[in-house]
Amino acid sequence: MINSRQVRAARALLGWTQEMLADKALVALTALKRVESESGLPVREDTRHQVVKALEAAGIVFLDSDRGEGLMLVHGAPSRSRK
């Protein structure tokens, strides 16, 4: 299961506001704020799923290993020219 820090980090990588993510995930802004909150507020599983789907569609891959949790952006990153 993703955590609030991963969602905030994913949003930062994409350059999205909370409003943009809520819109793309088709969830209420207040629901997204609960997903991103570290206060332990209950979050509906379908809300969390919609947020994950929206972020994954934008190129975010969530990682979970014995070293911890994280994420990476696999496409949509600005292209770099080689010189």
Side-chain angles (χ1 to χ4, degrees):
M1 176 170 61
I2 62 164
N3 62 46
S4 58
R5 292 173 67 190
Q6 286 175 298
V7 174
R8 291 192 309 270
R11 210 169 36 76
L13 274 176
L14 295 169
W16 289 0
T17 64
Q18 285 182 321
E19 291 81 4
M20 290 170 70
L21 177 52
D23 184 52
K24 291 178 186 298
L26 303 174
V27 300
L29 180 57
T30 54
L32 176 62
K33 288 181 178 187
R34 283 179 157 235
V35 171
E36 289 193 358
S37 172
E38 300 230 7
S39 65
L41 295 171
V43 177
R44 292 176 47 155
E45 197 53 42
D46 61 325
T47 298
R48 191 179 309 275
H49 179 71
Q50 287 296 110
V51 170
V52 168
K53 280 184 13 180
L55 292 170
E56 288 178 339
I60 296 293
V61 175
F62 292 96
L63 307 170
D64 187 11
S65 74
D66 58 343
R67 296 181 65 190
E69 300 166 330
L71 56 98
M72 67 179 173
L73 179 61
V74 293
H75 64 75
S79 60
R80 296 182 183 179
S81 60
R82 294 183 182 190
K83 293 184 179 184

